[in-house]
Amino acid sequence: MTAEAEGQSMFRSFGTPLTVDPPQQIEPVSPRPRHRQGIKLGLALGGGAARGWAHIGVLRAMDEAGIRPDIIAGTSIGAVVGGCYAAGRFEDISEFALELTPARVLALLDVHVGSGLISGDRLGRRLTESLSGWSIEKLPLRFAAIATEFSTGHEIWLTRGNLTEAIRASYALPGIFDPRRVGGRWLMDGALVNPVPVTAARALGAEVVIAVNLSGAGYGRGTVIQDFGGESEPIPIVDALPAASELGFLSPVRQAASRMRDLFRRRRGTPGFAQVMIDAFNITQDRITRARLAGDPPDILASPQLANIGLFDFHRAAEAISAGREALQRVLPHLQEALEMAERSFLARQRSA
């Protein structure tokens, strides 16, 4: 098969995964839970940049409860954590997240002039080293990384082909990371069209779906303010750059650019470029998430409390992981009940067949 044909195969309809032994150096996670019969559990891991480390806590809490997913659909950072879990590299991604410091995060950023601010090659090499030898169809469980096609807006479910390339395409946040060309298509962050991919998990065969929404706090309280009009008033002087809680590891940049910042504050008094991008992404993702979940709600929804963690606070993994664990533990009784009900229904069908 040519490289082009192999890439195009990612976009074909779903089929039975190939039975191929994984690379010997990788010990995959068992894709089947220890206590269920005939019920496929799907896990939909949402996008949310650094807040996505909460997915690690969710998966740890599930594993401690003896519950393992058969199917994972991930968007953006959800594809990163979900793909590493599916390939048996869960401990690797956990250690990587916990070892990040602001300096180490900066060292991973290869800033350049291109389609995005960051080429992503350094981070991509780390993923390639960890996930070498894996294609999606060889994984021991069903997996899909969600991406968005540039120029058309098509929602692309990457269910075949190179795992690393699928993950990189899924987290290629516009303006930040360069888009990825996969199978003849330019792809970017899947959160633009499906931030919490419940639909993909169900389409891959999940009978029970638990979704993890990383944008459930903060902007979800937005409302409509009716009959509002502005009056002439002085424009207040505001900080032209976002708060350190949002930019996290970029706080040194704030210090280096303080004089320029003050100049812009005096002239314009408007929010800075980075703050506008962050707020626009947060609001858009929240609204799309609520619309998608209303149309296809999961059986169980876990919403980690992450409002105090900025999108780029990758060095705060311990806090995010703790929030993810707590979120799963809150819904664990409901998840166990849903699985038990599904299993009873399955066994009843078996007896009547």
Side-chain angles (χ1 to χ4, degrees), residues 27-34 63 67-70 85-86 88 140-141:
E27 187 66 28
V29 180
S30 172
R32 298 296 301 178
R34 294 188 289 271
D63 192 63
I67 301 173
R68 291 179 177 172
D70 304 279
Y85 179 90
L141 52 75

Side-chain angles (χ1 to χ4, degrees), residues 42-90:
L43 183 59
L45 300 178
R51 294 167 182 165
W53 295 142
H55 294 318
I56 296 174
V58 168
L59 283 161
R60 285 202 181 282
M62 288 178 63
D63 192 63
E64 291 165 1
I67 301 173
R68 291 179 177 172
D70 304 279
I71 296 159
I72 296 179
T75 294
S76 195
I77 187 69
V80 176
V81 176
C84 290
Y85 179 90
R89 291 303 199 185
F90 185 59

Side-chain angles (χ1 to χ4, degrees), residues 90-157:
F90 185 59
E91 291 304 322
D92 287 358
I93 191 66
S94 300
E95 292 175 5
F96 172 77
L98 290 169
E99 290 173 355
L100 286 176
T101 63
R104 288 180 177 176
V105 173
L106 284 172
L108 287 171
L109 304 183
D110 36 11
V111 179
H112 75 148
V113 178
S115 302
L117 296 175
I118 302 167
S119 70
D121 290 337
R122 292 177 188 168
L123 183 58
R125 284 195 294 271
R126 292 292 298 269
L127 282 172
T128 300
E129 291 170 4
S130 182
L131 302 175
S132 177
W134 279 112
S135 60
I136 298 174
E137 59 268 30
K138 295 179 183 178
L139 294 170
L141 52 75
R142 300 302 303 276
F143 175 77
I146 312 304
T148 304
E149 184 176 16
F150 182 77
S151 77
T152 67
H154 292 330
E155 180 178 332
I156 306 296
W157 297 358

Side-chain angles (χ1 to χ4, degrees), residues 282-351:
N282 278 329
I283 293 168
T284 302
Q285 180 167 331
D286 171 69
R287 296 306 189 268
I288 296 173
T289 298
R290 287 198 280 171
R292 295 297 299 254
L293 292 180
D296 190 4
D299 298 281
I300 304 295
L301 178 63
S303 298
Q305 300 302 302
L306 301 164
N308 64 324
I309 298 180
L311 289 179
F312 300 105
D313 285 343
F314 287 97
H315 61 288
R316 298 175 64 187
E319 298 171 62
I321 291 171
S322 178
R325 183 191 294 271
E326 292 172 3
L328 192 280
Q329 290 172 341
R330 285 195 297 269
V331 301
L332 182 58
H334 304 292
L335 175 57
Q336 291 171 328
E337 182 181 2
L339 291 171
E340 290 169 2
M341 291 179 60
E343 187 172 3
R344 286 198 296 269
S345 178
F346 170 78
L347 293 175
R349 292 194 303 269
Q350 291 291 95
R351 287 194 296 267

Side-chain angles (χ1 to χ4, degrees), residues 126-212:
R126 292 292 298 269
L127 282 172
T128 300
E129 291 170 4
S130 182
L131 302 175
S132 177
W134 279 112
S135 60
I136 298 174
E137 59 268 30
K138 295 179 183 178
L139 294 170
L141 52 75
R142 300 302 303 276
F143 175 77
I146 312 304
T148 304
E149 184 176 16
F150 182 77
S151 77
T152 67
H154 292 330
E155 180 178 332
I156 306 296
W157 297 358
L158 295 160
T159 60
R160 299 176 184 272
N162 184 277
L163 177 60
T164 300
E165 283 302 306
I167 291 173
R168 292 188 66 178
S170 186
Y171 71 64
L173 183 65
I176 304 298
F177 287 103
D178 289 348
R180 303 297 299 175
R181 187 168 178 83
V182 181
R185 301 171 187 255
W186 283 105
L187 304 181
M188 53 189 178
D189 201 312
L192 296 171
V193 290
N194 198 349
V196 186
V198 176
T199 48
R202 291 201 191 281
L204 286 170
E207 286 120 340
V208 176
V209 176
I210 176 170
V212 184

